[in-house]
Every structure is written in C-alpha cells, then in structure tokens.
Amino acid sequence: MSRIVKHNGIVYISGQTDATAEDIEGQTRNVLAKVDDLLGQAGTSKSNLLTSSIWLKDIGRDFKQMNAVWNDWVDPDNKPVRATAEAAMARPQLLIEIQVTAAVSED
C-alpha cells in the first residue's frame, strides 16, 4: 500500500496510526507529526489541506481530547473539511487513525 499518492495536483495520504503513545493525546500528536512529514515529502503542508477523515476507537471517551490536539495543530487560516467517526481499529492498542488529502503547493 502506498503512503503517499500524488495525482492532478492533489496529495492523498493513507491512514496514519501510532502505537507508541498510550493515550489519545499522545497518539493524536504522533499521528499528526507523521502527517506533517508525509505532506512535506509530497511537497505540500497542512496549510493546503482539503479533507481529513478521523477514526476513533472510542469517540465518546476520546473526541474532546483528540479535538483539542487537532485544533492546536491545524492551520487556523485553512481548516479542511473533516469527518470523524468511531471505528474498530486493526490492532487493540490503536486509538486513532487519520487520513488527509491536500493540494500541492503552488509556490
């Protein structure tokens, strides 16, 4: 599976997870750091985000904390459309998965 696909000026980043942190804040920060890195590798940044899909293992328990980390990370001048849902994760220690699309920087 590809982690990054570029097509017609759009960058698609596959769903990113983190199993190193034990809580939702840590996993969210680590996943967003991966997203930043992948966007950079693709020649763009979070300032060019178009969409984001977020899956949480327990939305009732973790949404507020995840959302606080997200709001600190996202570019306030370019907030993407976002969907957040609860889903079973591929491994029991995973609490979150984030997938994004972004425009390629025109700089």
Side-chain angles (χ1 to χ4, degrees):
M1 171 176 57
S2 298
R3 293 187 318 151
I4 303 169
V5 172
K6 291 171 73 171
H7 179 72
N8 287 339
I10 304 294
V11 175
Y12 302 86
I13 305 294
S14 65
Q16 299 298 304
T17 61
D18 174 70
T20 62
E22 294 185 13
D23 63 10
I24 190 63
E25 292 94 345
Q27 285 194 18
T28 303
R29 276 191 283 281
N30 292 346
V31 168
L32 292 173
K34 288 181 182 181
V35 168
D36 276 332
D37 180 59
L38 292 168
L39 289 169
Q41 289 179 43
T44 191
S45 72
K46 65 185 174 186
S47 295
N48 295 311
L49 285 181
L50 301 170
T51 68
S52 178
S53 298
I54 301 175
W55 297 273
L56 294 170
K57 183 176 185 175
D58 187 333
I59 200 167
R61 179 191 67 203
D62 293 336
F63 181 83
K64 184 177 179 181
Q65 297 90 334
M66 175 282 300
N67 203 49
V69 175
W70 171 269
N71 285 336
D72 286 343
W73 174 82
V74 75
D75 181 343
D77 295 325
N78 186 51
K79 296 178 181 178
V81 296
R82 184 183 92 180
T84 305
E86 184 172 282
M89 296 288 132
R91 293 180 294 175
Q93 67 270 35
L94 299 177
L95 303 176
I96 187 168
E97 181 171 349
I98 300 177
Q99 181 275 327
V100 301
T101 60
V104 174
S105 299
E106 296 181 16
D107 300 359

